[in-house]
mmCIF file of all heavy atoms in Angstrom:
data_model
loop_
_atom_site.group_PDB
_atom_site.id
_atom_site.type_symbol
_atom_site.label_atom_id
_atom_site.label_comp_id
_atom_site.label_asym_id
_atom_site.label_seq_id
_atom_site.Cartn_x
_atom_site.Cartn_y
_atom_site.Cartn_z
ATOM 1 N N THR K 1 0.809 -1.218 0.000
ATOM 2 C CA THR K 1 0.000 0.000 0.000
ATOM 3 C C THR K 1 0.843 1.270 0.000
ATOM 4 O O THR K 1 0.308 2.354 -0.175
ATOM 5 C CB THR K 1 -0.918 0.058 1.239
ATOM 6 O OG1 THR K 1 -0.109 0.179 2.412
ATOM 7 C CG2 THR K 1 -1.804 -1.178 1.337
ATOM 8 N N GLY K 2 2.154 1.122 0.246
ATOM 9 C CA GLY K 2 3.015 2.296 0.360
ATOM 10 C C GLY K 2 3.110 2.819 1.785
ATOM 11 O O GLY K 2 3.837 3.761 2.053
ATOM 12 N N VAL K 3 2.359 2.215 2.698
ATOM 13 C CA VAL K 3 2.397 2.597 4.103
ATOM 14 C C VAL K 3 3.200 1.536 4.853
ATOM 15 O O VAL K 3 2.978 0.340 4.664
ATOM 16 C CB VAL K 3 0.979 2.698 4.699
ATOM 17 C CG1 VAL K 3 1.029 3.020 6.181
ATOM 18 C CG2 VAL K 3 0.167 3.733 3.941
ATOM 19 N N GLN K 4 4.102 1.974 5.683
ATOM 20 C CA GLN K 4 4.930 1.044 6.448
ATOM 21 C C GLN K 4 4.564 1.099 7.922
ATOM 22 O O GLN K 4 4.513 2.165 8.518
ATOM 23 C CB GLN K 4 6.413 1.393 6.293
ATOM 24 C CG GLN K 4 7.327 0.460 7.058
ATOM 25 C CD GLN K 4 8.775 0.910 7.040
ATOM 26 O OE1 GLN K 4 9.064 2.066 6.785
ATOM 27 N NE2 GLN K 4 9.668 -0.004 7.318
ATOM 28 N N ALA K 5 4.301 -0.064 8.495
ATOM 29 C CA ALA K 5 4.099 -0.181 9.941
ATOM 30 C C ALA K 5 5.284 -0.980 10.462
ATOM 31 O O ALA K 5 5.480 -2.122 10.063
ATOM 32 C CB ALA K 5 2.792 -0.884 10.247
ATOM 33 N N ALA K 6 6.079 -0.367 11.320
ATOM 34 C CA ALA K 6 7.272 -1.033 11.822
ATOM 35 C C ALA K 6 7.653 -0.428 13.163
ATOM 36 O O ALA K 6 7.159 0.624 13.546
ATOM 37 C CB ALA K 6 8.415 -0.876 10.839
ATOM 38 N N GLN K 7 8.543 -1.137 13.856
ATOM 39 C CA GLN K 7 8.997 -0.635 15.154
ATOM 40 C C GLN K 7 10.474 -0.924 15.332
ATOM 41 O O GLN K 7 11.013 -1.839 14.737
ATOM 42 C CB GLN K 7 8.211 -1.267 16.283
ATOM 43 C CG GLN K 7 8.484 -2.747 16.466
ATOM 44 C CD GLN K 7 7.621 -3.343 17.562
ATOM 45 O OE1 GLN K 7 6.594 -2.798 17.927
ATOM 46 N NE2 GLN K 7 8.039 -4.468 18.080
ATOM 47 N N VAL K 8 11.089 -0.116 16.176
ATOM 48 C CA VAL K 8 12.469 -0.335 16.593
ATOM 49 C C VAL K 8 12.424 -0.687 18.074
ATOM 50 O O VAL K 8 11.878 0.061 18.878
ATOM 51 C CB VAL K 8 13.342 0.916 16.357
ATOM 52 C CG1 VAL K 8 14.736 0.716 16.934
ATOM 53 C CG2 VAL K 8 13.423 1.243 14.872
ATOM 54 N N THR K 9 12.962 -1.832 18.410
ATOM 55 C CA THR K 9 13.078 -2.240 19.803
ATOM 56 C C THR K 9 14.451 -1.824 20.293
ATOM 57 O O THR K 9 15.461 -2.148 19.676
ATOM 58 C CB THR K 9 12.904 -3.763 19.935
ATOM 59 O OG1 THR K 9 11.622 -4.110 19.417
ATOM 60 C CG2 THR K 9 13.025 -4.208 21.378
ATOM 61 N N ILE K 10 14.500 -1.073 21.378
ATOM 62 C CA ILE K 10 15.766 -0.565 21.914
ATOM 63 C C ILE K 10 16.075 -1.347 23.177
ATOM 64 O O ILE K 10 15.341 -1.288 24.154
ATOM 65 C CB ILE K 10 15.676 0.946 22.193
ATOM 66 C CG1 ILE K 10 15.321 1.679 20.903
ATOM 67 C CG2 ILE K 10 16.984 1.460 22.784
ATOM 68 C CD1 ILE K 10 15.018 3.141 21.081
ATOM 69 N N ASN K 11 17.171 -2.061 23.135
ATOM 70 C CA ASN K 11 17.553 -2.977 24.202
ATOM 71 C C ASN K 11 18.595 -2.383 25.145
ATOM 72 O O ASN K 11 19.388 -3.122 25.722
ATOM 73 C CB ASN K 11 18.108 -4.248 23.554
ATOM 74 C CG ASN K 11 17.508 -5.491 24.101
ATOM 75 O OD1 ASN K 11 16.598 -5.433 24.908
ATOM 76 N ND2 ASN K 11 18.020 -6.626 23.683
ATOM 77 N N VAL K 12 18.616 -1.069 25.276
ATOM 78 C CA VAL K 12 19.577 -0.367 26.132
ATOM 79 C C VAL K 12 18.892 0.838 26.763
ATOM 80 O O VAL K 12 17.814 1.236 26.339
ATOM 81 C CB VAL K 12 20.811 0.126 25.334
ATOM 82 C CG1 VAL K 12 21.560 -1.015 24.695
ATOM 83 C CG2 VAL K 12 20.427 1.148 24.284
ATOM 84 N N SER K 13 19.541 1.419 27.764
ATOM 85 C CA SER K 13 19.097 2.721 28.276
ATOM 86 C C SER K 13 19.678 3.790 27.362
ATOM 87 O O SER K 13 20.805 3.664 26.887
ATOM 88 C CB SER K 13 19.610 2.953 29.692
ATOM 89 O OG SER K 13 18.960 2.122 30.606
ATOM 90 N N ILE K 14 18.923 4.831 27.136
ATOM 91 C CA ILE K 14 19.424 5.933 26.320
ATOM 92 C C ILE K 14 19.918 7.017 27.263
ATOM 93 O O ILE K 14 19.167 7.522 28.091
ATOM 94 C CB ILE K 14 18.349 6.470 25.366
ATOM 95 C CG1 ILE K 14 17.927 5.352 24.418
ATOM 96 C CG2 ILE K 14 18.863 7.668 24.591
ATOM 97 C CD1 ILE K 14 16.792 5.716 23.504
ATOM 98 N N GLY K 15 21.203 7.347 27.124
ATOM 99 C CA GLY K 15 21.807 8.353 27.992
ATOM 100 C C GLY K 15 22.280 7.740 29.286
ATOM 101 O O GLY K 15 23.199 6.941 29.318
ATOM 102 N N THR K 16 21.614 8.060 30.381
ATOM 103 C CA THR K 16 21.980 7.577 31.711
ATOM 104 C C THR K 16 21.401 6.184 31.936
ATOM 105 O O THR K 16 20.224 5.961 31.641
ATOM 106 C CB THR K 16 21.427 8.529 32.786
ATOM 107 O OG1 THR K 16 21.883 9.847 32.499
ATOM 108 C CG2 THR K 16 21.896 8.129 34.167
ATOM 109 N N PRO K 17 22.183 5.249 32.473
ATOM 110 C CA PRO K 17 21.650 3.906 32.684
ATOM 111 C C PRO K 17 20.505 3.891 33.706
ATOM 112 O O PRO K 17 20.559 4.564 34.726
ATOM 113 C CB PRO K 17 22.842 3.099 33.197
ATOM 114 C CG PRO K 17 23.851 4.090 33.649
ATOM 115 C CD PRO K 17 23.579 5.366 32.913
ATOM 116 N N ALA K 18 19.472 3.121 33.404
ATOM 117 C CA ALA K 18 18.339 2.987 34.325
ATOM 118 C C ALA K 18 18.735 2.155 35.539
ATOM 119 O O ALA K 18 18.258 2.384 36.634
ATOM 120 C CB ALA K 18 17.162 2.340 33.605
ATOM 121 N N THR K 19 19.607 1.213 35.315
ATOM 122 C CA THR K 19 20.110 0.334 36.365
ATOM 123 C C THR K 19 21.631 0.318 36.262
ATOM 124 O O THR K 19 22.149 0.180 35.149
ATOM 125 C CB THR K 19 19.573 -1.102 36.174
ATOM 126 O OG1 THR K 19 18.147 -1.052 36.101
ATOM 127 C CG2 THR K 19 20.003 -2.009 37.292
ATOM 128 N N PRO K 20 22.342 0.460 37.348
ATOM 129 C CA PRO K 20 23.800 0.427 37.271
ATOM 130 C C PRO K 20 24.298 -0.827 36.543
ATOM 131 O O PRO K 20 23.836 -1.932 36.799
ATOM 132 C CB PRO K 20 24.246 0.420 38.740
ATOM 133 C CG PRO K 20 23.116 1.072 39.473
ATOM 134 C CD PRO K 20 21.876 0.646 38.736
ATOM 135 N N GLY K 21 25.195 -0.599 35.598
ATOM 136 C CA GLY K 21 25.749 -1.696 34.827
ATOM 137 C C GLY K 21 24.956 -2.073 33.588
ATOM 138 O O GLY K 21 25.401 -2.867 32.780
ATOM 139 N N PHE K 22 23.736 -1.515 33.439
ATOM 140 C CA PHE K 22 22.916 -1.810 32.257
ATOM 141 C C PHE K 22 23.510 -1.097 31.049
ATOM 142 O O PHE K 22 23.971 0.036 31.156
ATOM 143 C CB PHE K 22 21.474 -1.347 32.497
ATOM 144 C CG PHE K 22 20.481 -1.901 31.528
ATOM 145 C CD1 PHE K 22 20.038 -3.208 31.651
ATOM 146 C CD2 PHE K 22 19.989 -1.122 30.493
ATOM 147 C CE1 PHE K 22 19.112 -3.727 30.761
ATOM 148 C CE2 PHE K 22 19.066 -1.629 29.602
ATOM 149 C CZ PHE K 22 18.632 -2.936 29.731
ATOM 150 N N PRO K 23 23.534 -1.724 29.876
ATOM 151 C CA PRO K 23 24.113 -1.086 28.694
ATOM 152 C C PRO K 23 23.413 0.225 28.345
ATOM 153 O O PRO K 23 22.210 0.362 28.538
ATOM 154 C CB PRO K 23 23.906 -2.104 27.575
ATOM 155 C CG PRO K 23 23.457 -3.351 28.222
ATOM 156 C CD PRO K 23 22.993 -3.032 29.599
ATOM 157 N N THR K 24 24.188 1.171 27.829
ATOM 158 C CA THR K 24 23.641 2.467 27.425
ATOM 159 C C THR K 24 24.071 2.795 26.005
ATOM 160 O O THR K 24 25.009 2.224 25.471
ATOM 161 C CB THR K 24 24.124 3.595 28.352
ATOM 162 O OG1 THR K 24 25.535 3.693 28.243
ATOM 163 C CG2 THR K 24 23.713 3.357 29.783
ATOM 164 N N ALA K 25 23.361 3.736 25.407
ATOM 165 C CA ALA K 25 23.702 4.264 24.092
ATOM 166 C C ALA K 25 23.255 5.713 24.050
ATOM 167 O O ALA K 25 22.377 6.134 24.801
ATOM 168 C CB ALA K 25 23.015 3.464 22.990
ATOM 169 N N GLN K 26 23.838 6.451 23.164
ATOM 170 C CA GLN K 26 23.448 7.837 22.949
ATOM 171 C C GLN K 26 22.435 7.894 21.806
ATOM 172 O O GLN K 26 22.421 7.021 20.929
ATOM 173 C CB GLN K 26 24.677 8.686 22.617
ATOM 174 C CG GLN K 26 25.682 8.762 23.754
ATOM 175 C CD GLN K 26 25.057 9.280 25.041
ATOM 176 O OE1 GLN K 26 24.375 10.293 25.048
ATOM 177 N NE2 GLN K 26 25.271 8.552 26.128
ATOM 178 N N PRO K 27 21.579 8.924 21.787
ATOM 179 C CA PRO K 27 20.568 9.025 20.726
ATOM 180 C C PRO K 27 21.167 8.956 19.324
ATOM 181 O O PRO K 27 20.578 8.336 18.433
ATOM 182 C CB PRO K 27 19.920 10.389 20.984
ATOM 183 C CG PRO K 27 20.134 10.639 22.435
ATOM 184 C CD PRO K 27 21.462 10.010 22.765
ATOM 185 N N GLU K 28 22.330 9.555 19.135
ATOM 186 C CA GLU K 28 22.929 9.541 17.794
ATOM 187 C C GLU K 28 23.389 8.150 17.378
ATOM 188 O O GLU K 28 23.619 7.898 16.194
ATOM 189 C CB GLU K 28 24.080 10.554 17.678
ATOM 190 C CG GLU K 28 25.168 10.382 18.686
ATOM 191 C CD GLU K 28 24.969 11.157 19.976
ATOM 192 O OE1 GLU K 28 23.857 11.645 20.259
ATOM 193 O OE2 GLU K 28 25.951 11.268 20.725
ATOM 194 N N GLU K 29 23.498 7.231 18.324
ATOM 195 C CA GLU K 29 23.814 5.842 17.989
ATOM 196 C C GLU K 29 22.557 5.066 17.587
ATOM 197 O O GLU K 29 22.618 4.141 16.781
ATOM 198 C CB GLU K 29 24.455 5.136 19.186
ATOM 199 C CG GLU K 29 25.803 5.690 19.599
ATOM 200 C CD GLU K 29 26.306 5.026 20.861
ATOM 201 O OE1 GLU K 29 25.896 5.466 21.965
ATOM 202 O OE2 GLU K 29 27.086 4.071 20.726
ATOM 203 N N VAL K 30 21.434 5.448 18.147
ATOM 204 C CA VAL K 30 20.177 4.755 17.893
ATOM 205 C C VAL K 30 19.500 5.260 16.618
ATOM 206 O O VAL K 30 18.911 4.482 15.864
ATOM 207 C CB VAL K 30 19.219 4.917 19.100
ATOM 208 C CG1 VAL K 30 17.891 4.224 18.848
ATOM 209 C CG2 VAL K 30 19.872 4.394 20.374
ATOM 210 N N SER K 31 19.596 6.535 16.347
ATOM 211 C CA SER K 31 18.851 7.136 15.236
ATOM 212 C C SER K 31 19.122 6.507 13.876
ATOM 213 O O SER K 31 18.183 6.391 13.071
ATOM 214 C CB SER K 31 19.065 8.647 15.195
ATOM 215 O OG SER K 31 20.422 8.957 14.996
ATOM 216 N N PRO K 32 20.332 6.042 13.550
ATOM 217 C CA PRO K 32 20.525 5.409 12.239
ATOM 218 C C PRO K 32 19.673 4.156 12.028
ATOM 219 O O PRO K 32 19.322 3.829 10.890
ATOM 220 C CB PRO K 32 22.017 5.060 12.216
ATOM 221 C CG PRO K 32 22.652 6.022 13.153
ATOM 222 C CD PRO K 32 21.619 6.224 14.234
ATOM 223 N N VAL K 33 19.318 3.478 13.096
ATOM 224 C CA VAL K 33 18.468 2.293 12.972
ATOM 225 C C VAL K 33 17.089 2.699 12.445
ATOM 226 O O VAL K 33 16.530 2.038 11.572
ATOM 227 C CB VAL K 33 18.355 1.555 14.321
ATOM 228 C CG1 VAL K 33 17.433 0.355 14.216
ATOM 229 C CG2 VAL K 33 19.731 1.128 14.805
ATOM 230 N N TYR K 34 16.552 3.801 12.964
ATOM 231 C CA TYR K 34 15.272 4.306 12.465
ATOM 232 C C TYR K 34 15.374 4.713 10.997
ATOM 233 O O TYR K 34 14.489 4.424 10.197
ATOM 234 C CB TYR K 34 14.804 5.518 13.293
ATOM 235 C CG TYR K 34 14.241 5.157 14.634
ATOM 236 C CD1 TYR K 34 15.052 5.106 15.761
ATOM 237 C CD2 TYR K 34 12.890 4.874 14.782
ATOM 238 C CE1 TYR K 34 14.529 4.772 17.003
ATOM 239 C CE2 TYR K 34 12.351 4.545 16.013
ATOM 240 C CZ TYR K 34 13.191 4.498 17.116
ATOM 241 O OH TYR K 34 12.668 4.166 18.340
ATOM 242 N N TRP K 35 16.465 5.376 10.650
ATOM 243 C CA TRP K 35 16.649 5.822 9.268
ATOM 244 C C TRP K 35 16.747 4.626 8.332
ATOM 245 O O TRP K 35 16.138 4.612 7.257
ATOM 246 C CB TRP K 35 17.877 6.721 9.159
ATOM 247 C CG TRP K 35 18.017 7.310 7.800
ATOM 248 C CD1 TRP K 35 18.985 7.031 6.881
ATOM 249 C CD2 TRP K 35 17.155 8.274 7.182
ATOM 250 N NE1 TRP K 35 18.776 7.748 5.730
ATOM 251 C CE2 TRP K 35 17.658 8.527 5.897
ATOM 252 C CE3 TRP K 35 16.013 8.937 7.604
ATOM 253 C CZ2 TRP K 35 17.053 9.418 5.024
ATOM 254 C CZ3 TRP K 35 15.409 9.828 6.724
ATOM 255 C CH2 TRP K 35 15.931 10.056 5.468
ATOM 256 N N ASP K 36 17.503 3.601 8.718
ATOM 257 C CA ASP K 36 17.613 2.391 7.893
ATOM 258 C C ASP K 36 16.263 1.726 7.708
ATOM 259 O O ASP K 36 15.923 1.288 6.604
ATOM 260 C CB ASP K 36 18.583 1.385 8.520
ATOM 261 C CG ASP K 36 20.040 1.783 8.379
ATOM 262 O OD1 ASP K 36 20.338 2.683 7.563
ATOM 263 O OD2 ASP K 36 20.871 1.201 9.090
ATOM 264 N N LEU K 37 15.489 1.639 8.768
ATOM 265 C CA LEU K 37 14.168 1.027 8.686
ATOM 266 C C LEU K 37 13.265 1.811 7.735
ATOM 267 O O LEU K 37 12.524 1.229 6.943
ATOM 268 C CB LEU K 37 13.536 0.962 10.076
ATOM 269 C CG LEU K 37 12.214 0.220 10.213
ATOM 270 C CD1 LEU K 37 12.343 -1.236 9.791
ATOM 271 C CD2 LEU K 37 11.708 0.311 11.630
ATOM 272 N N HIS K 38 13.377 3.115 7.760
ATOM 273 C CA HIS K 38 12.549 3.980 6.913
ATOM 274 C C HIS K 38 12.993 3.973 5.453
ATOM 275 O O HIS K 38 12.172 4.002 4.549
ATOM 276 C CB HIS K 38 12.575 5.408 7.449
ATOM 277 C CG HIS K 38 11.912 6.406 6.563
ATOM 278 N ND1 HIS K 38 10.548 6.425 6.354
ATOM 279 C CD2 HIS K 38 12.425 7.405 5.825
ATOM 280 C CE1 HIS K 38 10.259 7.404 5.512
ATOM 281 N NE2 HIS K 38 11.375 8.015 5.184
ATOM 282 N N THR K 39 14.300 3.910 5.214
ATOM 283 C CA THR K 39 14.799 4.082 3.850
ATOM 284 C C THR K 39 15.175 2.802 3.121
ATOM 285 O O THR K 39 14.898 2.676 1.935
ATOM 286 C CB THR K 39 16.032 5.008 3.838
ATOM 287 O OG1 THR K 39 17.043 4.437 4.665
ATOM 288 C CG2 THR K 39 15.677 6.408 4.311
ATOM 289 N N THR K 40 15.822 1.868 3.792
ATOM 290 C CA THR K 40 16.346 0.705 3.061
ATOM 291 C C THR K 40 15.784 -0.634 3.513
ATOM 292 O O THR K 40 15.983 -1.638 2.843
ATOM 293 C CB THR K 40 17.888 0.635 3.173
ATOM 294 O OG1 THR K 40 18.254 0.494 4.541
ATOM 295 C CG2 THR K 40 18.538 1.867 2.596
ATOM 296 N N LYS K 41 15.092 -0.659 4.634
ATOM 297 C CA LYS K 41 14.585 -1.929 5.154
ATOM 298 C C LYS K 41 13.073 -1.894 5.326
ATOM 299 O O LYS K 41 12.518 -2.370 6.300
ATOM 300 C CB LYS K 41 15.282 -2.256 6.478
ATOM 301 C CG LYS K 41 16.776 -2.421 6.293
ATOM 302 C CD LYS K 41 17.487 -2.754 7.571
ATOM 303 C CE LYS K 41 18.967 -2.924 7.255
ATOM 304 N NZ LYS K 41 19.757 -3.140 8.439
ATOM 305 N N ARG K 42 12.405 -1.348 4.313
ATOM 306 C CA ARG K 42 10.962 -1.168 4.389
ATOM 307 C C ARG K 42 10.196 -2.485 4.373
ATOM 308 O O ARG K 42 9.022 -2.528 4.683
ATOM 309 C CB ARG K 42 10.493 -0.247 3.278
ATOM 310 C CG ARG K 42 11.047 1.166 3.451
ATOM 311 C CD ARG K 42 10.453 2.146 2.475
ATOM 312 N NE ARG K 42 9.030 2.324 2.618
ATOM 313 C CZ ARG K 42 8.437 3.128 3.504
ATOM 314 N NH1 ARG K 42 9.159 3.821 4.358
ATOM 315 N NH2 ARG K 42 7.131 3.230 3.544
ATOM 316 N N ASP K 43 10.877 -3.563 4.030
ATOM 317 C CA ASP K 43 10.224 -4.868 4.021
ATOM 318 C C ASP K 43 10.220 -5.526 5.405
ATOM 319 O O ASP K 43 9.628 -6.579 5.587
ATOM 320 C CB ASP K 43 10.909 -5.790 3.019
ATOM 321 C CG ASP K 43 12.376 -6.032 3.339
ATOM 322 O OD1 ASP K 43 13.024 -5.130 3.906
ATOM 323 O OD2 ASP K 43 12.877 -7.120 3.014
ATOM 324 N N GLN K 44 10.856 -4.895 6.378
ATOM 325 C CA GLN K 44 10.943 -5.464 7.714
ATOM 326 C C GLN K 44 9.960 -4.778 8.663
ATOM 327 O O GLN K 44 9.742 -3.579 8.584
ATOM 328 C CB GLN K 44 12.358 -5.329 8.258
ATOM 329 C CG GLN K 44 13.355 -6.131 7.436
ATOM 330 C CD GLN K 44 14.740 -6.086 8.012
ATOM 331 O OE1 GLN K 44 14.912 -5.974 9.223
ATOM 332 N NE2 GLN K 44 15.742 -6.175 7.152
ATOM 333 N N ALA K 45 9.398 -5.564 9.572
ATOM 334 C CA ALA K 45 8.444 -5.028 10.544
ATOM 335 C C ALA K 45 9.122 -4.577 11.824
ATOM 336 O O ALA K 45 8.555 -3.800 12.578
ATOM 337 C CB ALA K 45 7.393 -6.073 10.875
ATOM 338 N N GLU K 46 10.347 -5.066 12.075
ATOM 339 C CA GLU K 46 11.013 -4.734 13.326
ATOM 340 C C GLU K 46 12.526 -4.802 13.169
ATOM 341 O O GLU K 46 13.048 -5.679 12.497
ATOM 342 C CB GLU K 46 10.594 -5.703 14.434
ATOM 343 C CG GLU K 46 11.263 -5.417 15.760
ATOM 344 C CD GLU K 46 10.868 -6.409 16.849
ATOM 345 O OE1 GLU K 46 10.646 -7.586 16.544
ATOM 346 O OE2 GLU K 46 10.774 -5.960 17.993
ATOM 347 N N LEU K 47 13.190 -3.859 13.796
ATOM 348 C CA LEU K 47 14.646 -3.900 13.960
ATOM 349 C C LEU K 47 14.934 -3.768 15.443
ATOM 350 O O LEU K 47 14.208 -3.107 16.179
ATOM 351 C CB LEU K 47 15.334 -2.763 13.197
ATOM 352 C CG LEU K 47 15.315 -2.856 11.678
ATOM 353 C CD1 LEU K 47 16.010 -1.637 11.073
ATOM 354 C CD2 LEU K 47 15.971 -4.124 11.180
#
């Protein structure tokens, strides 16, 4: 239909860890995943 329904599952805390020792990432590390899903991986429902 030209409409994409998809989601990105984030398996880390963004910025400050929610729990000590839990993996973290910065927003600029996560954002390319959204861009890839939107531009080159439109056939996928989840990344």
Side-chain angles (χ1 to χ4, degrees):
T1 66
V3 177
Q4 180 187 20
Q7 68 183 21
V8 174
T9 301
I10 302 172
N11 229 5
V12 300
S13 289
I14 299 175
T16 305
T19 306
F22 195 77
T24 63
Q26 296 304 311
E28 56 270 15
E29 295 175 277
V30 179
S31 61
V33 178
Y34 284 92
W35 186 248
D36 286 345
L37 186 60
H38 172 69
T39 59
T40 61
K41 298 180 179 175
R42 295 188 62 82
D43 61 329
Q44 296 184 31
E46 180 182 34
L47 290 179

